[in-house]
């Protein structure tokens, strides 16, 4: 009976198998047609995705890259795959644009398409994505316009801010003079001088160089710029499950909390500003703008936003400029012949008169040295990360909206097509045959386009005045019996020099 039953059902079982097999074949055909369509669209009018090395499952190219020397690694890959290529960091596809022409095209000619910020877990998980530096969308443009306008109203680009920097440089000279030619680490002095300029604009206040709480706060800011860009951070940002594991990202959380606490204390002292007629600093201006829009439920000008904007402006306004100045003094120690030429030019042109921005044309060599310090120091070699704000066809490749972009500034400031000795410290990069200052197109330490550094103008004034004033008054040397300091940078978001001691000898 059972045999008879099996025989009776056999045609139906065969039919079921045929149907199942047919369904699988149909699904496979549909998949292949769909895949072919996607490939055709991707490689058709819109172009292919940028090429790059084959990665590991889940980890992508992370195991194949030296994350401690990522800028150099990406330059190596660009020689193989071209000026536009891709890497996979974890499960995230990243497009790298390398070399002056390519970066210029991306950030300027296609500036609107390359102006967004990607989701950056270390920033997002610390609540810092709603300031002005890391914010995405229209909110960034609104806050950027407000910030630039407010800083101009507070003296940026005017003689008043220059006079303030000149005054602060006199305090810096006194602080360095206290060492009486004995070895010291210039880190704290330079940090405090630069910080006092931005503090006066943001908080309406300056601090003494021996204020321990303030000095400690500046250490936290500098440490954060290392933590945001070291090898551990690079892995964390593309493998965010590490959030629950111990590591340097936990230290960043603690640092940010302490800095925010300081900023909130400054902000709370200004709450009366809503009734002022004229703002005296950035906090005043922001609170007054918020008071005007208090009935707007969607206003950006909340006190929570102000805290994060202040964090962005305070951190970026201090660390990048002070780091560049630390490189400047280090390079004068290791290149005494350059230091002597700067001092001879200042002595001949200015004598004992204090340097000003008007003197730049009369001090072409000094101006060239300041710019070469920025180029050589290369403190933001990966730039700040970008993302595409829309689908874009770029140099024959199709890059979809939201793609993570690395504008490789390291490859711009080391581009052999524009710098005769890209890996050497050479002020002649900024001098023409007549010995006058000449600015090459490939000088992009501040980035370019809609995300150009907000503090570019302020940094230019600070760097020239602080540097020329210091060399007018001191000669900087390695401590007697000590080898010359190491020029290997520290890995981080802002790549500063390793700690070093020097002697400042009065001239």
């Amino acid at each position: 009976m059972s045999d008879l039953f099996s025989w009776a059902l056999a045609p139906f079982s065969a039919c079921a198998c045929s149907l199942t097999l047919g369904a699988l074949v149909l699904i496979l055909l549909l998949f292949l047609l769909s895949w072919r369509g996607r490939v055709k669209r991707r490689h058709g009018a819109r172009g292919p995705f940028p090429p790059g090395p084959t990665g590991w499952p889940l980890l992508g190219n992370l195991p194949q890259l030296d994350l401690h020397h990522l800028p150099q690694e990406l330059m190596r890959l660009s020689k193989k795959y071209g000026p536009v290529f891709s890497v996979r960091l974890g499960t995230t596809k990243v497009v790298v644009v390398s070399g002056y022409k390519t970066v210029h095209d991306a950030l300027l000619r296609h500036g609107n398409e390359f102006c967004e910020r990607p989701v950056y877990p270390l920033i997002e998980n610390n609540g810092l994505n709603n300031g002005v530096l890391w914010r995405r969308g229209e909110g960034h443009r609104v806050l950027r316009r407000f910030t630039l306008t407010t800083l101009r109203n507070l003296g940026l680009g005017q003689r008043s801010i220059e006079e303030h920097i000149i005054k602060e440089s006199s305090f810096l000279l006194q602080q360095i003079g206290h060492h009486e030619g004995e070895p010291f680490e210039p880190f704290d002095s330079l940090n405090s001088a630069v910080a006092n300029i931005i503090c006066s604009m943001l908080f309406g206040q300056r601090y003494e160089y021996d204020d321990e709480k303030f000095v400690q706060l500046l250490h936290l800011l500098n440490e954060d710029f290392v933590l945001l860009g070291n090898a551990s951070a690079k892995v964390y940002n593309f493998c965010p499950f590490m959030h629950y594991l111990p590591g340097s990202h936990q230290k960043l959380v603690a640092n940010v909390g302490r800095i925010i606490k300081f900023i909130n204390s400054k902000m709370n002292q200004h709450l009366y500003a809503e009734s002022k007629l004229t703002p005296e600093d950035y906090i005043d201006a922001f609170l007054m703008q918020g008071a005007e829009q208090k009935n707007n439920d969607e206003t950006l000008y909340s006190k929570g936003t102000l805290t994060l904007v202040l964090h962005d402006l305070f951190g970026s306004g201090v660390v990048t400029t002070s780091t560049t100045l630390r490189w400047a003094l280090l390079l004068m120690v290791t290149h005494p012949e350059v230091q002597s030429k700067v001092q001879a030019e200042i002595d001949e042109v200015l004598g004992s008169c204090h340097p000003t921005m008007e003197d730049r044309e009369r001090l072409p060599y000094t101006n060239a040295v300041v710019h070469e310090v920025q180029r050589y120091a290369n403190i933001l070699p990966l730039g700040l990360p970008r993302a595409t704000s829309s689908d874009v066809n770029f140099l024959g490749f199709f890059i979809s909206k939201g793609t993570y972009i690395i504008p490789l500034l390291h490859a711009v400031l080391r581009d052999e097509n524009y710098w005769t000795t890209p890996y050497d410290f050479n002020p002649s990069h900024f001098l023409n045959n007549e010995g006058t200052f000449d600015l090459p197109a490939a000088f992009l330490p501040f980035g370019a386009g809609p995300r150009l550094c907000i503090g570019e103008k302020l940094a230019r004034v600070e760097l020239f005045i602080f540097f020329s004033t210091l060399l007018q008054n001191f000669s900087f040397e390695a401590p007697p019996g000590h080898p010359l300091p190491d020029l290997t940078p520290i890995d981080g978001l802002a790549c500063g020099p390793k700690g070093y001691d020097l002697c400042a000898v009065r001239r």
Side-chain angles (χ1 to χ4, degrees), residues 174-225:
Q174 292 176 21
Q175 179 67 18
I176 292 178
H178 290 160
H179 296 282
E180 296 294 342
E182 294 297 315
F184 74 101
E185 160 61 83
F187 183 95
D188 289 339
S189 299
L190 296 176
N191 263 303
S192 296
V194 173
N196 274 330
I197 303 302
I198 194 67
C199 282
S200 67
M201 301 182 78
L202 299 182
F203 313 134
Q205 185 177 356
R206 74 171 298 276
Y207 295 84
E208 296 300 326
Y209 288 55
D210 58 358
D211 187 318
E212 292 186 6
K213 290 184 178 180
F214 185 59
V215 170
Q216 186 179 37
L217 186 75
L218 299 182
H219 276 267
L220 294 180
L221 282 175
N222 281 271
E223 185 177 46
D224 284 357
F225 268 73

Side-chain angles (χ1 to χ4, degrees), residues 123 126 128 131-134 202-203 221 224-225 228 252 255-260 263 305-317:
I123 295 296
N126 281 283
L128 300 177
V132 66
L133 187 61
W134 300 97
L202 299 182
F203 313 134
L221 282 175
D224 284 357
F225 268 73
L228 279 168
L252 183 66
N255 287 1
V256 169
R258 293 175 65 181
I259 296 168
I260 291 294
I263 289 172
T305 299
L306 174 57
T307 298
L308 297 174
V309 172
L310 290 171
H311 179 278
D312 288 348
L313 297 177
F314 185 42
S316 58

